[in-house]
Amino acid sequence: MTCLLGCTPADLVELMASLGQKPYRAKQLQEWIWKHRVTSFEEMTNLPPALREQLAARCTLRPLTVQEVSESTTGGTRKFLSRMQDGHLVESVIIPAAVGQGGAHSDRITLCVSSQVGCAFGCKFCASGLLGLTRNLTTAEIVGQIVAAEAISGTRVDNLVFMGMGEPLANMDNLLPALTIILDEHSLNIGARHITISTSGNVPGLKKLAAFGRPLRLAVSLHGACDEVRNQIMPVNKKWPLGELVPALQEWTRTSKHKITLEYILIQDVNAMLTEVDKLARIAHLLNAKVNLIPYNTVEGLPWVRPSEAACRFFCKQLIAKGIPVTMRYEKGHDINAACGQLRLRKVQQNEH
Ligand code: SAH
Ligand code: SF4
């Protein structure tokens, strides 16, 4: 069965052609899927009944069902867990825009999506890495998280970040068609500048993403400013060390109008020592990048420790003093385990016991 949420406009034309239909039928189908968000073929009233039956026999309209929505008591984030047709679970997080001046709530939301079930990259601090890779998400399952979030929130997703479970650039075959659908003005229609892809430093993937040729934003999970630190916590660095990653990122900045964001989790005695400030500043300068500092979110069963708030603030101040644009983010929704992979990890553990 083909899930229509994973079909690009060209795929829909091809599907209709395979059923002996003219291209205008593909346009009609696209309107039912994206404008009306129908969940059954019977609702597609301007398609002939025989065609609706043919479609229903071959295609589905939803690739996942939302199993659980948990609301944070602070910050307004909502995390939802979706069940794929084969029973696997993935998580996505709905993050409201900051509360405006005077306390006015904005309707704008950012969605954090997953790209894989688990992750093969095995970063030592990450709950997704801990479980290894189960499988890639399909194009429909990536796009389906956005459709589900819009149904849950009753509003459109304005910003999209690929910062959930998985390494998006290790799933290019499904990521690129998903981006085509997300960007298409008659499908999800989210602007490239509102989409951030986060990678742990997958160099060949970065090159393919650059060749895709759309002005997407890029975040890089750096977490270490020298090979010694990165090797300790991110096995991916052994494959593509900083000597390869930094030039690939410089190449990206040559064509991109946006600054790259370097994500840097602060972990006590691993990468939060003041000796690392200069090295991090050097890389940020080279790339003309901004740095996002994230005090480590504790993961059950892992030995890593979040530095004190004062230590995090001091690290931040030192970096700012080097002229680097820095933000420090205390995870919104810490109380619902909003860090990468944690909700699913808890579920899997519950199921196993
Ligand atoms: N695989 C991609 C996309 C996932 S993004 C990547 O690594 O960039 C998820 C982000 O959360 C990454 O920056 C990751 O390093 C970070 N992260 C993982 N575990 C975390 C934790 N326990 N505390 C804070 N951030 C964490
Ligand atoms: Fe995978 Fe990213 Fe987690 Fe590393 S940080 S294990 S690349 S999801």
Side-chain angles (χ1 to χ4, degrees):
M1 295 283 247
T2 308
C3 179
L4 296 183
L5 293 189
C7 290
T8 62
D11 293 337
L12 294 179
V13 171
E14 204 176 295
L15 171 71
M16 282 308 197
S18 76
L19 298 172
Q21 299 290 332
K22 298 232 162 64
Y24 81 94
R25 291 287 187 205
K27 265 263 149 300
Q28 289 177 318
L29 183 59
Q30 195 178 22
E31 285 196 353
W32 288 116
I33 300 168
W34 295 110
K35 210 163 149 195
H36 308 298
R37 301 285 167 101
V38 297
T39 53
S40 74
F41 291 95
E42 296 93 82
E43 291 166 80
M44 302 182 175
T45 46
N46 62 0
L47 301 185
L51 176 57
R52 279 185 252 160
E53 269 169 40
Q54 280 179 309
L55 287 170
R58 267 160 242 248
C59 308
T60 60
L61 285 158
R62 292 292 176 270
L64 46 82
T65 48
V66 174
Q67 165 156 328
E68 182 186 314
V69 183
S70 45
E71 194 131 354
S72 155
T73 49
T74 54
T77 52
R78 269 177 292 177
K79 183 160 188 159
F80 62 93
L81 197 63
S82 308
R83 181 175 286 277
M84 309 296 114
Q85 247 132 35
D86 62 4
H88 288 306
L89 301 172
V90 299
E91 64 186 356
S92 325
V93 185
I94 301 170
I95 307 155
V99 177
Q101 295 244 310
H105 258 290
S106 151
D107 283 343
R108 303 172 70 84
I109 57 169
T110 294
L111 180 70
C112 173
V113 290
S114 294
S115 54
Q116 298 181 309
V117 183
C119 182
F121 281 63
C123 300
K124 299 282 199 299
F125 47 80
C126 173
S128 300
L130 215 62
L131 294 169
L133 177 70
T134 303
R135 69 167 173 83
N136 283 328
L137 291 187
T138 63
T139 300
E141 289 164 342
I142 295 172
V143 172
Q145 294 169 68
I146 307 167
V147 173
E150 293 189 344
I152 291 169
S153 64
T155 174
R156 299 293 312 274
V157 168
D158 304 284
N159 284 290
L160 192 61
V161 297
F162 282 81
M163 293 189 181
M165 241 193 296
E167 165 57 39
L169 300 191
N171 184 14
M172 288 311 266
D173 288 351
N174 298 331
L175 177 74
L176 295 183
L179 288 173
T180 302
I181 296 163
I182 292 163
L183 291 162
D184 177 61
E185 62 170 325
H186 300 295
S187 302
L188 271 168
N189 193 24
I190 300 176
R193 286 168 295 111
H194 297 270
I195 302 171
T196 302
I197 311 285
S198 182
T199 177
S200 60
N202 182 325
V203 170
L206 270 172
K207 291 183 177 156
K208 280 191 209 158
L209 191 66
F212 186 59
R214 302 297 297 261
L216 302 160
R217 289 181 188 259
L218 187 68
V220 179
S221 295
L222 196 67
H223 309 326
C226 60
D227 284 331
E228 201 189 339
V229 172
R230 267 196 128 226
N231 283 342
Q232 191 190 338
I233 52 177
M234 301 179 77
V236 63
N237 196 68
K238 298 202 174 120
K239 210 158 176 187
W240 299 294
L242 288 170
E244 280 185 49
L245 176 59
V246 172
L249 294 173
Q250 282 176 305
E251 186 59 42
W252 176 280
T253 57
R254 269 193 268 284
T255 52
S256 167
K257 287 191 193 74
H258 305 296
K259 279 190 193 310
I260 291 178
T261 302
L262 300 176
E263 305 279 344
Y264 197 93
I265 305 179
L266 290 164
I267 311 175
Q268 187 167 303
D269 299 330
V270 173
N271 66 358
M273 299 82 78
L274 293 178
T275 49
E276 302 310 297
V277 172
D278 271 343
K279 301 179 209 167
L280 180 53
R282 213 191 106 249
I283 296 180
H285 268 307
L286 266 176
L287 298 171
N288 187 26
K290 49 189 178 181
V291 173
N292 188 18
L293 296 175
I294 312 152
Y296 180 63
N297 242 319
T298 318
V299 175
E300 238 179 85
L302 294 183
W304 317 105
V305 176
R306 170 193 280 219
S308 71
E309 196 170 331
C312 294
R313 294 208 186 283
F314 194 65
F315 190 98
C316 179
K317 233 169 117 183
Q318 295 299 308
L319 203 55
I320 291 171
K322 305 261 172 222
I324 310 296
V326 188
T327 50
M328 188 158 74
R329 163 163 64 99
Y330 272 92
E331 290 278 347
K332 281 185 186 176
H334 192 61
D335 58 327
I336 55 162
N337 290 326
C340 180
Q342 283 176 262
L343 180 63
R344 177 174 171 271
L345 183 67
R346 207 182 60 214
K347 276 269 148 203
V348 170
Q349 283 168 343
Q350 277 169 1
N351 290 346
E352 279 171 359
H353 292 139

